[in-house]
Amino acid sequence: MHKIITSTLTLGAALFLLAGCSSSSSSSKTASSSSTTAKKSSSAQTSSSTSSQSSQAETSSASSSQVAATSSIPWNSAKAQQLRSFMNSWGPSMHQSYAELSPGDYQWFGGVNNTIGSYEGDGSTFEWSTTGTGNYDYNVVAMYNYNKSPQGDCNASTNIGEYHITYAFSYHNGQPVALVSQSTNGGMVWTPTKNATVQSNWARIAGSATN
């Protein structure tokens, strides 16, 4: 009887240990499976994050290129409007009224009609430009004219008269320079303006960051 009981207890202990080992093995497999799943999920998230950052970097690079291309062109319609507003307000403060000229209103001529500083000129070249850039010493982007006369016949006109004050707003070696012609012989002799208000406002507008 004692042997039967002992055998039974021994068998039960063996079964108990076997069940424990099985449970431990199952738990180990479950833990291993969970760890593998977590690693895969983390790897996928890292890959997605890297891809997103790469896409953002490419977008940022493209935007920077567009800004650089835009900023390399010094003149645009927004600045033209700023200059127009300035001339429309400054002219009356000087008891003058200026008309905006276009390339069709004024053509550049050689010799006495197109000189800088004197009737002989200094060999400078200048021409109309829509961007403020070009192959000329002075790239003119805007021009304004006011006609005056000893008889008091003063008006804004796109037809430059014998007695006139004409401003040509230009970029010279990339820098804003306002030229003025006040010759009274019908020709156009240009000099950098001595009017500090005109030049300072032109420099402000021409060099602004407006795009």
Side-chain angles (χ1 to χ4, degrees):
M1 181 65 176
H2 177 72
K3 291 181 178 180
I4 295 173
I5 292 174
T6 300
S7 299
T8 302
L9 290 174
T10 300
L11 179 61
L15 291 173
F16 176 78
L17 290 174
L18 182 60
C21 289
S22 176
S23 175
S24 175
S25 176
S26 176
S27 297
S28 177
K29 290 180 180 180
T30 301
S32 177
S33 176
S34 298
S35 176
T36 301
T37 301
K39 289 181 179 179
K40 289 182 178 180
S41 176
S42 175
S43 177
Q45 290 177 353
T46 301
S47 176
S48 176
S49 176
T50 301
S51 177
S52 176
Q53 291 175 355
S54 177
S55 177
Q56 291 176 356
E58 290 176 358
T59 300
S60 176
S61 177
S63 297
S64 298
S65 297
Q66 292 176 350
V67 170
T70 300
S71 61
S72 66
I73 299 175
W75 187 245
N76 55 46
S77 59
K79 293 182 180 182
Q81 181 56 50
Q82 288 186 47
L83 178 60
R84 191 174 298 117
S85 296
F86 165 69
M87 292 300 290
N88 287 340
S89 62
W90 174 77
S93 73
M94 300 293 291
H95 305 290
Q96 299 167 353
S97 180
Y98 285 84
E100 183 175 0
L101 278 63
S102 69
D105 298 319
Y106 181 84
Q107 301 293 327
W108 299 110
F109 302 102
V112 70
N113 292 314
N114 191 29
T115 62
I116 298 290
S118 71
Y119 283 99
E120 292 77 23
D122 66 357
S124 296
T125 59
F126 50 116
E127 183 57 274
W128 286 99
S129 171
T130 58
T131 61
T133 61
N135 298 320
Y136 300 90
D137 295 321
Y138 293 84
N139 295 289
V140 177
V141 295
M143 187 182 289
Y144 286 80
N145 179 65
Y146 164 73
N147 285 340
K148 59 180 181 177
S149 74
Q151 292 75 30
D153 182 17
C154 305
N155 60 81
S157 176
T158 56
N159 295 314
I160 300 175
E162 180 178 1
Y163 298 92
H164 62 267
I165 302 176
T166 311
Y167 285 99
F169 296 94
S170 70
Y171 286 87
H172 176 55
N173 294 328
Q175 299 301 312
V177 176
L179 302 170
V180 65
S181 172
Q182 300 185 76
S183 53
T184 59
N185 66 338
M188 303 298 290
V189 179
W190 299 94
T191 59
T193 182
K194 294 181 180 179
N195 188 300
T197 300
V198 172
Q199 177 56 37
S200 63
N201 277 276
W202 168 232
R204 172 183 60 80
I205 294 169
S208 68
T210 302
N211 296 316

